[in-house]
Amino acid sequence: MASFQAVTTPAAAITSHQGCGNESSTNGSGGCTNDGVASFKAAETVIELASMFKEKPDPSNLVFGTVFTDHMLTIEWSASDGWQKPHIGPFKNLSVHPASSALHYAVELFEGLKAYRGVDNNIRLFRPLNNMERMRRSACRAGLPPSLGVKKPSRALLYVILSPVGPYFSTGGFSPVSLWADPKYTRAWRGGTGDCKMGGNYGASIFAQYEAMEVGCQQVLWLYGDNHQITEVGTMNLFLYWINENGDEELATPPLDGVILPGVTRQSIIDIAHKWGEFKVTERYLTMGDLIAALKENRVKEMFGAGTACVVCPVGRILYKGNNLHIPTMDNGPKLTARILKQLTDIQYGRIESDWTYLVQ
């Protein structure tokens, strides 16, 4: 997991270490600057080994996000000097100023991806450049190098920590999850930061997550607007495999309109399904009304979530307006959900050669 935070209070305007893609370069408050020339290089990495090493964890009993490696990567940035040399050193606590912008204004972002030990014992990263591009977009939106807006941090810290993980959900790797859909809470809105990987998006969702658990559901299905558009689950993008209103066999997922996170696994599933060419694949708006009508007419085949943490997870039930909606994912195989999971994990673990994976040397 990589995290990027402002570590001191605002002091001076800062410049960027790189441009921000197709966005126009500007020194105003509405875009990204392109002035900076400082950068860091992997060849300049300073390495300090830990004096003591942790015991290796039991791989059969890994609780997600609780066990970490002995070392971490840190790279400091300042307005005056730009990016500093990367450091790999012992895993340790961060020293954060009490007035840090990260604590007071949520000037931070994070990114997560997995490394897979393949069947050939090689380690592979799955589409890491997609994660880096999403991180770049989030940095622009958060006002991190390059930094803009009312609160301009003078220093920032980029750090990478690693954690061996097991199944994300306690129910196991391929057990159906239950979702709570209630329109009284909103995760994100157009023009906001819902499409960025920022901690504030998640911190604000914790209260609703606990309420979902109190009514017997594992995750929140976030709705948007008066027509209760289906957006995403707390930790996953969502897919619906159904016979649509026109009688077409379709795999549908909500579009990237600024409200949902552009997941790497989400895009990979779309790419795979397009390549198969066996059914219609669309990015379209779906409402709870659409889903309920399709359930009544037996047009729903499967519903599943997708994300780096869970990879692919079937959905079995949605609690909406006090009614439990049975989603027949497991009743139907679940043929497509299982097939997509197999295709992705075959690539991730090296059983299928793919230019989506990068070998770690």
Side-chain angles (χ1 to χ4, degrees), residues 250-261:
E250 179 183 58
L251 179 64
T253 192
L256 301 180
D257 62 356
V259 174
I260 71 170
L261 190 72

Side-chain angles (χ1 to χ4, degrees), residues 33-79:
T33 59
N34 194 25
D35 308 326
V37 294
S39 65
F40 53 82
K41 298 179 180 179
E44 298 177 351
T45 302
V46 177
I47 299 176
E48 175 193 355
L49 295 180
S51 58
M52 297 181 64
F53 295 93
K54 306 170 187 174
E55 292 185 10
K56 289 186 178 181
D58 178 2
S60 65
N61 189 31
L62 289 173
V63 179
F64 198 96
T66 59
V67 179
F68 296 91
T69 55
D70 296 293
H71 297 88
M72 63 189 291
L73 169 69
T74 58
I75 311 172
E76 295 188 7
W77 179 93
S78 70

Side-chain angles (χ1 to χ4, degrees), residues 289-303:
D290 296 330
L291 178 61
I292 291 171
L295 286 170
K296 289 180 178 178
E297 297 167 6
N298 295 318
R299 292 189 284 112
V300 174
K301 293 176 175 289
E302 301 174 32
M303 179 179 276

Side-chain angles (χ1 to χ4, degrees), residues 3-321:
S3 189
F4 198 4
Q5 302 186 5
V7 293
T8 63
T9 50
I14 66 173
T15 57
S16 74
H17 66 289
Q18 62 179 21
C20 285
N22 296 326
E23 298 151 1
S24 33
S25 297
T26 175
N27 289 322
S29 62
C32 300
T33 59
N34 194 25
D35 308 326
V37 294
S39 65
F40 53 82
K41 298 179 180 179
E44 298 177 351
T45 302
V46 177
I47 299 176
E48 175 193 355
L49 295 180
S51 58
M52 297 181 64
F53 295 93
K54 306 170 187 174
E55 292 185 10
K56 289 186 178 181
D58 178 2
S60 65
N61 189 31
L62 289 173
V63 179
F64 198 96
T66 59
V67 179
F68 296 91
T69 55
D70 296 293
H71 297 88
M72 63 189 291
L73 169 69
T74 58
I75 311 172
E76 295 188 7
W77 179 93
S78 70
S80 57
D81 301 319
W83 289 104
Q84 305 303 300
K85 292 181 179 179
H87 280 72
I88 294 177
F91 188 96
K92 61 182 180 181
N93 293 336
L94 300 177
S95 178
V96 180
H97 193 284
S100 167
S101 296
L103 298 178
H104 289 263
Y105 311 120
V107 183
E108 59 80 48
L109 63 90
F110 73 100
E111 189 58 60
L113 68 157
K114 286 182 177 178
Y116 296 84
R117 185 176 294 279
V119 293
D120 55 2
N121 210 37
N122 286 319
I123 297 175
R124 292 173 172 83
L125 300 178
F126 180 72
R127 306 192 86 173
L129 297 184
N130 293 50
N131 292 89
M132 296 303 99
E133 170 58 19
R134 186 171 66 185
M135 189 173 186
R136 182 195 64 79
R137 293 196 307 269
S138 297
C140 284
R141 188 65 176 84
L144 284 161
S147 178
L148 298 164
V150 176
K151 300 295 182 182
K152 299 178 180 179
S154 60
R155 297 177 60 200
L157 175 68
L158 171 65
Y159 61 96
V160 180
I161 55 178
L162 297 92
S163 172
V165 298
Y168 185 79
F169 294 111
S170 59
T171 51
F174 200 67
S175 298
V177 296
S178 53
L179 309 179
W180 180 63
D182 194 306
K184 69 179 178 179
Y185 297 119
T186 301
R187 173 191 173 272
W189 50 89
R190 293 189 182 94
T193 60
D195 59 344
C196 299
K197 193 81 170 175
M198 297 179 180
N201 294 339
Y202 297 81
S205 71
I206 293 175
F207 187 84
Q209 173 62 30
Y210 274 97
E211 191 162 338
M213 295 170 66
E214 287 176 358
V215 295
C217 296
Q218 293 163 275
Q219 289 280 305
V220 177
L221 171 55
W222 296 99
L223 307 179
Y224 183 75
D226 294 337
N227 60 347
H228 299 176
Q229 290 176 21
I230 294 170
T231 62
E232 65 176 67
V233 181
T235 57
M236 309 180 290
N237 293 117
L238 203 63
F239 286 83
L240 176 64
Y241 178 47
W242 67 335
I243 304 299
N244 67 20
E245 54 273 85
N246 298 319
D248 301 317
E249 185 179 354
E250 179 183 58
L251 179 64
T253 192
L256 301 180
D257 62 356
V259 174
I260 71 170
L261 190 72
V264 175
T265 308
R266 172 190 179 277
Q267 186 60 51
S268 301
I269 292 171
I270 293 172
D271 294 342
I272 288 170
H274 273 304
K275 186 176 181 180
W276 286 341
E278 299 173 11
F279 42 78
K280 191 173 184 179
V281 182
T282 59
E283 298 176 69
R284 55 169 289 185
Y285 292 108
L286 299 165
T287 68
M288 287 303 298
D290 296 330
L291 178 61
I292 291 171
L295 286 170
K296 289 180 178 178
E297 297 167 6
N298 295 318
R299 292 189 284 112
V300 174
K301 293 176 175 289
E302 301 174 32
M303 179 179 276
F304 59 89
T308 297
C310 70
V311 188
V312 175
C313 180
V315 174
R317 177 172 64 91
I318 298 177
L319 178 59
Y320 174 66
K321 291 186 174 181

